[in-house]
Every structure is written in C-alpha cells, then in structure tokens.
Amino acid sequence: MTAENVDYDLLIPNNVGLAEDPKLRRALEQWHPGYIDWWMSMGPEGFQMADVWLRTAISVEKEGWAKFDYVKMPEYRWGILLAPEVEGRTIPCGEHVGEPVWTEVPGPYRAMLRRLIVIQGDTEPASVEQQRHLGSTAPSIYDMRNLFQVNVEEGRHLWAMVYLLQKYFGRDGREEAQELLQRQSGSDEKPRMLGAFNESTPDWLSFFMFTYFTDRDGKMQLEALAQSGFDPLSRTCRFMLAEEAHHMFVGYTGVKRIVERTAQAMVEGGVDDPYDIDAVRRLGVIDLPAIQRKTNLHFSLTLDLFGSEESTNAANFFNAGIKGRFHEDRLEDDHRLVDDTYPVTKLVDGELRQVEVPALNALNARLRDDFIDDCQGGISRWNNELSARGIDFLIELPNVAFNRNIGEFAGISVSPDGRLVAEGEFEAKKGKWLPTSDDQAYIESLMQPQLEPGEFAGWIAHPARGIQGKPTDFEYVKLP
Ligand code: BYC
C-alpha cells in the first residue's frame, strides 16, 4: 500500500498503515461502536436508512480522490486519511523555524498540542448535532444530499482528530477521544467547548449561513494547523481542507440561491421596496433585511471563534511552531515576529481605534482579518444578484465589534456600522440588527420539505448545476 492509496479492507479505511499497528487499531476499533451509537442518536434524524448519493475519499491525491455512490449513512466508510508527506518539510515558524518537522509529539508542547486537537475535534461532532433536525425540512433532495455530505465528512473529521489523540497521546488521548462523544451541543451539563457550537441551527438559511461563515472559520483554523511543525497534524489538516471546500460551496451557493429567488420574486411581483416586508413576504420568499440580520448574527458568532484579539496562548502556539499563520509558508518575513507589530482595532478612550500591538500577541486578530477578507468575495456575488435586477439593497458584513462575546469587544454595545452606542439604544434597535422571533417564525413557516427529484421550495432558486455532472433532478436521496 502506498501513502496515496487508501486501504479499504479493514473496518476503518486508512492510509496510515493501521494493518501494521495492532495497538492503534485496537484503540480505534474500541472507539468505533461508541461513535456509531453517537451517530445513530445524534446524527441526521429520520434518514439513517435512506440511500444517499455520497462522495467517499478513496485516495489522497489531488485528482480523483473521491468516488460517488449510494450509501446508507451509518454504513459510510469513515476513514483516516493523511495528505502525502512533503519531503524535507521544516518547522515553518517560531523559535524552531527551519528545523525538521516533528513526527512524534514534542514533549514540551504536548499539553498545548493536545488542547488544540481536542478543540478542533470538538467542533466536528458539534456541527452534526446542530444540524440533525434539518433533513425533514429540506428544500429539495439535492440540498438534503448536500447536508448529509457535510455531516458525514464532519464525522470523518472527528475520526481524523481521534486518530491523532489515540496514536500520539496514549491514555489521556484515549480519554479525550471518549469525551468527544460525550459533550453535546447546547447541553447544560456538558456543552461543546466553543460558543458558536452550542447555538441552534433552526432553519436552512441558518444552515447556509453556518456553512458560509462558521465552516470558513474551520477552513482558516485548519489552514493555520496545516502549518504545524507537528507533521501528523499538518498532514491531517491538509486533507481535511480538501473536503472542507465543498462545505463552503454549500453555504455560498445556498445563500446566493435564496437571495436570487427573493430578487426574482420581487421583480416578478412588482415589489421595489426591499423594506416593504409584508409585500415581500406575501411573495413567499425571505426578505432581504431578514437575510442581513442572519448575516449579522452568524458573522459575529463566528468572529468569537477566533478567541481574543490579543492572546498569549496564540503567541505560545506560534512560538512553539505548532500553529502557524494563514499561508505561513507563503509569507515573506522572518517567521518569528519577535520585533514586529500588527494593527488591531481596540477600544481606546471610549473610541474604536487601530493600535499597533506586538505581532506575536495579535495572531488571533490577524487570522480573523484573513477570514474577513475571505468572506467578502462571496458576499459581493450575492449582491450581484440584487444589482443585476435593479434592487437597491446591499448585504454587508457588520463591524467586527458588533454583538461580540469574546475578546476586546465583549460587553460593549456597538452598532453594525461600528458606532459605540448606549446599551439602551442597542436593546431598542436589536430587532433591526439581529433576527427577531417574528423573522424566525416566518422563516420556519417556509421550511416545508420538497422530496420529489427536481422540485425546489419556492423560497430558493434552483442550483446552476447538479453534483458531479448529475442533473439537478437526479435522485440524490432515495427515501426508504
Ligand atoms: N468560546 O487566548 P484566548 C471548525 C477560551 S471551526 C469559548 O482568547 P486562544 C468547524 C480559550 O479556550 C475551527 N471559549 O484564545 C466549523 C481560552 O481558555 P483557557 C475549530 C473560548 O486560546 C464548522 C480562553 O478563552 N478549530 O473546524 O488564543 C463545522 C482565552 O483564550 C472561545 C479551532 O478553533 C470561544 N469562542 O484561541 C465543523 C482551532 N475563544 O485556555 C467544524 C483550535 C476562546 O484559558 N483552537 N475561548 O481555558 C484554537 O486555535 C484556539 O483554541 C482558539 C482560541 C482560536 C479557539
């Protein structure tokens, strides 16, 4: 078996030589039943026996790594896949920059590494739990299939982190792997570790916003971990990124199709004013101000996932060489940052101002800035759907300080356009800025399933094309 090919003969498909590592194989096989129990009780509700046209990874080569076929989700071949080793790779940042990468856990950084892997691992099952009720309101079976594809791959990403814990962290790694199946999104007793992963995903607009914004935090964090000097983590994350691209495609095209449908309906129905909510809702589509409010919510929740703007944890991860910056290996500086500064927006004398701070402490802010840049492209294309039809409305990202619970802006009140406001004003205008119970009730009233191949709910446009060359009316999910 070469590193590029995946061994499908074992219960757990892999390209990590599991057949020759009985100890690890035993640990993973012992974890497997608990995972399946978790999937059956916390995974997609109501569709476990359906045949879903899913992609499964069969190689880690750039081309032709996946095959598509009908699979019942509990029979999906969750596996352990690492991107190929890069010969001569060196630690890309921090005090060990230029030294050969570690293939075993570096002793002094063991606790830090384990924590990063556990946090990453915790988000994967959390998102499956958050999305488990959505199948029953799918706007089409094309969309339903995309939801399930995202879900099984998040399950595989959990396997990816569990592999690292069990292979490299001994007993405490095995205990952490168990805990990953025990915490639960939204639970009072054992919640998931990061804030946004305990929020609900009550409707498909939220799902698409989540996959647009929050999966993109996943992308940025995986990009930063792909730069790790601990090579097994880097290789794992590099392969996860190949799968992650589809998740963001689902979010981007999902919101785009909703905006497109709203714009089409407004033109056809002769409604010019996007703020005439009653008129727009009479058309059976989602009004643009409600879409803006969902954008404000999901963007701000996701910004919290980057941690504090200034963080000694982040400086330590970087110095140790276990977490880099976005595209660290393409940046041209000394990769140590000891004498550098970085501009961070902060609250100074009652105003939001950019302040130069030591670059090492500003790594969370920097990754967050890279994330914001990455978000912008899709939003411009959503807006093109509006301008092309002469609709005078722009979907915009709110200011970084709006609605924050972690870091510099936690506990202060800032409007979406970046003005510091009194708490009273924030409360009074909250209904303009964040989704209201009325928005939620209306959106949920639209969430009626469309289960005939080729049929789409009236609030979302058809996709431009199907998946992997199949038509949009292909039977992506065969219901039992
Ligand atoms: N909620 O120095 P600070 C994904 C804690 S998404 C709750 O500011 P640090 C996916 C923090 O742990 C990507 N607690 O932060 C997407 C620390 O606690 P301790 C997931 C929070 O450590 C969609 C304290 O506050 N991967 O893959 O520099 C679907 C002070 O922390 C939060 C990662 O996040 C929060 N939001 O940075 C599926 C990568 N933020 O240590 C999947 C791994 C901070 O004082 N994680 N705290 O007890 C990391 O790199 C870092 O841990 C963080 C936080 C960026 C999350």
Side-chain angles (χ1 to χ4, degrees):
M1 187 188 63
T2 69
E4 286 70 36
N5 292 322
V6 180
D7 181 352
Y8 266 87
D9 294 339
L10 293 182
L11 175 66
I12 302 163
N14 73 96
N15 70 341
V16 296
L18 216 51
E20 295 87 51
D21 189 343
K23 194 164 163 233
L24 174 63
R25 188 172 152 186
R26 234 184 352 264
L28 286 165
E29 286 181 358
Q30 272 169 10
W31 187 80
H32 187 254
Y35 172 81
I36 295 293
D37 283 352
W38 167 81
W39 179 268
M40 295 306 287
S41 58
M42 295 309 295
E45 191 182 55
F47 295 89
Q48 301 279 10
M49 288 305 113
D51 289 305
V52 188
W53 201 67
L54 290 176
R55 130 180 125 175
T56 305
I58 48 168
S59 135
V60 289
E61 289 293 348
K62 274 204 164 51
E63 300 300 322
W65 59 270
K67 73 172 176 133
F68 287 73
D69 209 345
Y70 285 110
V71 181
K72 291 190 191 2
M73 284 184 279
E75 292 164 18
Y76 187 78
R77 304 299 309 276
W78 285 285
I80 296 165
L81 305 166
L82 264 56
E85 204 170 333
V86 174
E87 215 171 303
R89 184 169 177 261
T90 55
I91 297 168
C93 60
E95 58 186 85
H96 305 285
V97 67
E99 296 173 20
V101 287
W102 297 290
T103 52
E104 294 295 332
V105 174
Y109 309 136
R110 187 177 191 278
M112 264 195 256
L113 255 178
R114 196 187 73 189
R115 182 167 172 80
L116 283 179
I117 294 169
V118 168
I119 293 181
Q120 181 62 49
D122 193 66
T123 62
E124 314 290 0
S127 68
V128 175
E129 292 164 1
Q130 287 172 296
Q131 295 161 13
R132 67 184 301 252
H133 302 297
L134 290 173
S136 60
T137 54
S140 71
I141 60 169
Y142 162 90
D143 291 291
M144 185 193 273
R145 175 257 167 219
N146 285 347
L147 165 72
F148 294 157
Q149 182 71 58
V150 169
N151 292 160
V152 291
E153 285 175 352
E154 299 301 8
R156 205 200 68 71
H157 292 180
L158 170 61
W159 275 90
M161 293 300 124
V162 164
Y163 158 71
L164 293 174
L165 290 169
Q166 294 195 334
K167 165 99 182 159
Y168 295 100
F169 292 86
R171 178 186 216 149
D172 47 328
R174 290 195 290 280
E175 284 166 8
E176 293 283 13
Q178 282 307 329
E179 294 272 312
L180 287 169
L181 295 176
Q182 278 151 21
R183 284 185 290 272
Q184 237 174 59
S185 176
S187 153
D188 288 334
E189 298 92 57
K190 282 196 153 211
R192 290 294 175 184
M193 297 174 86
L194 300 178
F197 291 91
N198 289 302
E199 300 285 327
S200 66
T201 310
D203 60 77
W204 278 76
L205 176 54
S206 296
F207 168 65
F208 293 133
M209 289 286 180
F210 184 98
T211 39
Y212 189 74
F213 290 114
T214 309
D215 276 80
R216 193 173 306 272
D217 168 50
K219 166 184 160 181
M220 301 311 287
Q221 299 292 349
L222 289 175
E223 288 275 9
L225 296 175
Q227 298 288 342
S228 182
F230 177 50
D231 208 39
L233 176 60
S234 165
R235 292 175 59 196
T236 306
C237 291
R238 269 188 283 134
F239 188 70
M240 290 162 77
L241 280 164
E243 292 166 315
E244 199 67 36
H246 176 66
H247 306 186
M248 280 172 296
F249 162 86
V250 170
Y252 160 65
T253 53
V255 178
K256 183 166 174 287
R257 288 162 54 213
I258 294 175
V259 173
E260 180 187 346
R261 182 69 200 111
T262 298
Q264 267 170 5
M266 285 173 67
V267 171
E268 284 159 18
V271 178
D272 303 327
D273 179 3
Y275 295 94
D276 189 344
I277 305 303
D278 291 340
V280 175
R281 290 188 180 180
R282 268 197 299 276
L283 302 169
V285 292
I286 305 178
D287 50 289
L288 299 170
I291 295 175
Q292 177 66 61
R293 285 192 283 276
K294 285 270 191 185
T295 303
N296 291 350
L297 176 68
H298 286 270
F299 181 69
S300 55
L301 283 173
T302 304
L303 291 186
D304 280 344
L305 293 173
F306 288 85
S308 306
E309 286 70 8
E310 286 181 88
S311 159
T312 46
N313 283 348
N316 292 339
F317 301 152
F318 182 87
N319 254 335
I322 61 172
K323 184 178 176 188
R325 288 169 292 174
F326 181 54
H327 292 165
E328 183 72 46
D329 51 359
R330 298 186 210 165
L331 297 174
E332 292 198 1
D333 55 23
D334 70 355
H335 302 280
R336 288 178 188 262
L337 305 181
V338 179
D339 301 318
D340 296 353
T341 62
Y342 186 82
V344 173
T345 306
K346 294 181 67 158
L347 183 64
V348 184
D349 299 335
E351 274 181 46
L352 297 177
R353 275 206 228 135
Q354 281 220 326
V355 180
E356 290 290 327
V357 306
L360 266 178
N361 288 352
L363 289 163
N364 286 346
R366 179 172 181 147
L367 192 63
R368 190 196 65 196
D369 289 348
D370 290 329
F371 163 80
I372 296 173
D373 285 348
D374 206 60
C375 287
Q376 201 61 58
I379 294 180
S380 308
R381 291 194 292 277
W382 297 345
N383 283 326
N384 289 344
E385 296 295 331
L386 301 174
S387 55
R389 293 175 179 81
I391 292 171
D392 188 14
F393 192 95
L394 268 185
I395 299 170
E396 287 175 319
L397 291 178
N399 187 276
V400 286
F402 171 72
N403 191 41
R404 298 293 307 282
N405 286 303
I406 300 274
E408 184 72 17
F409 313 115
I412 62 168
S413 301
V414 175
S415 63
D417 61 1
R419 276 177 310 110
L420 270 165
V421 295
E423 211 183 315
E425 182 179 348
F426 190 93
E427 283 308 311
K429 300 219 170 118
K430 211 170 159 183
K432 278 194 164 158
W433 295 341
L434 288 167
T436 62
S437 50
D438 178 57
D439 292 335
Q440 200 49 45
Y442 173 65
I443 293 171
E444 284 180 28
S445 77
L446 296 177
M447 299 292 122
Q448 304 300 329
Q450 290 295 330
L451 301 178
E452 282 302 311
E455 278 190 12
F456 288 81
W459 50 269
I460 188 164
H462 289 219
R465 60 191 70 83
I467 297 291
Q468 192 71 4
K470 295 285 182 207
T472 54
D473 61 0
F474 180 68
E475 196 173 9
Y476 289 101
V477 182
K478 287 185 187 166
L479 299 169

